[in-house]
Amino acid sequence: MRRAGPRLEERRREGPSLEEPTIDDIEAFRRAVLGLYEREGRDLPWRRRVGPWAVLVSEIMLQQTQVSRVEPRYAAWMERFPDAASLASAELAEVYEAWRGLGYNSRALRLRETAKICAEFYGGVPPADERLLLELPGVGRYTARAVLAFAYDQPTVFLETNIRAALIFHFRPGGDRVGDRELESLAAAVLDRGDPRTWYYALMDYGSWLKKREPNPTRRAAAYSTQSRFDGSVRQARGAILRHLGDRGAVAIAEMAAESGIEYGRLDAAAAGLERDGLVVRDGDALRFAD
């Protein structure tokens, strides 16, 4: 395959640079990014000029979850809940069943709550306004700006792991603990404001491509953190509870502890968190999905 942009071995030899990129630097970077995208860009279902609601669904699903896990679930989800109204009227048990396998299950609840708001106040689509998007459950700064770029072609500035990798590798080689404020400044400088949608898809794919060929540049970002251990965690217990509820409709914590081998105390803590999140209702030791 032809190399995309500056030779990787040359970038490895260069030291850190704190100067702002020149016009030539920016143009060379854009050629590298868009050239790779033209040759090897990923054909993902949420990139096919889908509507704003479908874009929001994809962004919520992609939070802390790999593309390879989201892609098959996304297609099935959109077939089952094609619009905000259909999700807003669904029972929580049905919503969780469709979400199963994606993890971080409170996102499914937040997405259903967002669907209710969009269906009632915004004609079934997320609003094209960052302030209003941030008022939706489960929508943070990154998600709001990504929706504006991908659904409404607005030239917003945002970061995620692959974008950080591309910017650090090209503009801060050798740098360590590179902060997001600095990276956002770089992202704004290189942004194609005429077509932000295509640009961000290309930039994410380029960062992903780099990470397969280089020691992950994202590790040098100040925002980088490793994921906590799953086995033995409360998060594992939360998932186990929701799976049991999906299979049976109701479950007793003591019975589940005996069957699963997960400590009662960890299941009890997980159940308390799920109750606070509005996912389950608890009556003594018995749990069921919230309405």
Side-chain angles (χ1 to χ4, degrees):
M1 186 193 77
R2 291 185 296 166
R3 293 188 180 272
R7 295 171 64 86
L8 300 188
E9 60 270 22
E10 292 175 0
R11 298 302 298 173
R12 283 195 294 267
R13 289 197 297 268
E14 295 175 3
S17 171
L18 298 180
E19 295 82 9
E20 289 301 309
T22 66
I23 292 176
D24 288 344
D25 292 335
I26 292 171
E27 290 304 317
F29 181 67
R30 286 177 176 169
R31 285 194 298 271
V33 170
L34 295 172
L36 181 76
Y37 188 63
E38 183 178 353
R39 296 189 300 275
E40 300 187 27
R42 291 175 291 183
D43 179 25
L44 300 171
W46 50 87
R47 293 186 177 183
R48 299 171 190 163
R49 280 294 177 187
V50 296
W53 174 252
V55 169
L56 176 61
V57 170
S58 71
E59 289 301 325
I60 297 295
M61 286 186 169
L62 288 163
Q63 291 172 354
Q64 299 177 280
T65 307
Q66 294 178 331
V67 168
S68 59
R69 288 179 61 191
V70 170
E71 188 172 4
R73 296 287 179 176
Y74 173 83
W77 178 279
M78 294 308 299
E79 184 174 350
R80 193 167 187 173
F81 307 116
D83 49 36
S86 59
L87 178 58
S89 62
E91 297 292 330
L92 183 56
E94 180 187 5
V95 172
Y96 173 69
E97 177 61 30
W99 190 270
R100 185 183 292 198
L102 284 172
Y104 299 97
N105 299 291
S106 61
R107 290 180 298 166
L109 173 65
R110 304 291 176 255
L111 184 55
R112 189 180 67 155
E113 293 304 307
T114 287
K116 292 178 180 179
I117 295 170
C118 289
E120 183 174 356
F121 297 105
Y122 301 120
V125 297
D129 178 278
E130 183 174 349
R131 179 182 61 83
L132 295 176
L133 283 168
L134 289 171
E135 294 176 356
L136 299 175
V139 175
R141 186 165 176 259
Y142 164 80
T143 300
R145 293 187 174 189
V147 168
L148 291 175
F150 298 138
Y152 299 114
D153 290 308
Q154 292 188 23
T156 55
V157 176
F158 56 86
L159 301 171
E160 53 84 66
T161 179
N162 293 322
I163 293 174
R164 289 187 181 95
L167 295 173
I168 290 173
F169 183 81
H170 277 267
F171 298 111
R172 296 296 183 261
D176 192 26
R177 304 296 295 171
V178 185
D180 274 359
R181 180 174 296 183
E182 183 179 353
L183 291 173
E184 283 192 351
S185 177
L186 288 169
V190 301
L191 175 60
D192 180 353
R193 295 179 180 274
D195 187 3
R197 183 177 185 273
T198 299
W199 170 250
Y200 276 119
Y201 285 148
L203 186 56
M204 290 175 175
D205 283 5
Y206 186 67
S208 176
W209 178 85
L210 274 175
K211 285 157 64 176
K212 295 174 184 175
R213 289 156 177 79
E214 294 292 309
N216 184 358
T218 312
R219 294 176 183 272
R220 293 191 278 112
Y224 177 78
S225 63
T226 56
Q227 192 173 51
S228 58
R229 187 169 62 93
F230 180 73
D231 288 341
S233 67
V234 173
R235 186 159 63 90
Q236 182 190 37
R238 284 170 62 101
I241 290 171
L242 292 172
R243 283 193 299 276
H244 275 68
L245 289 177
D247 291 338
R248 304 180 186 181
V251 65
I253 298 176
E255 179 183 356
M256 184 178 165
E259 291 181 3
S260 67
I262 300 174
E263 300 91 338
Y264 182 95
R266 190 149 52 91
L267 289 169
D268 184 61
L274 290 168
E275 187 176 26
R276 286 193 301 271
D277 289 343
L279 280 166
V280 304
V281 173
R282 183 170 183 171
D283 182 10
D285 200 48
L287 301 173
R288 62 175 176 80
F289 275 119
D291 295 329

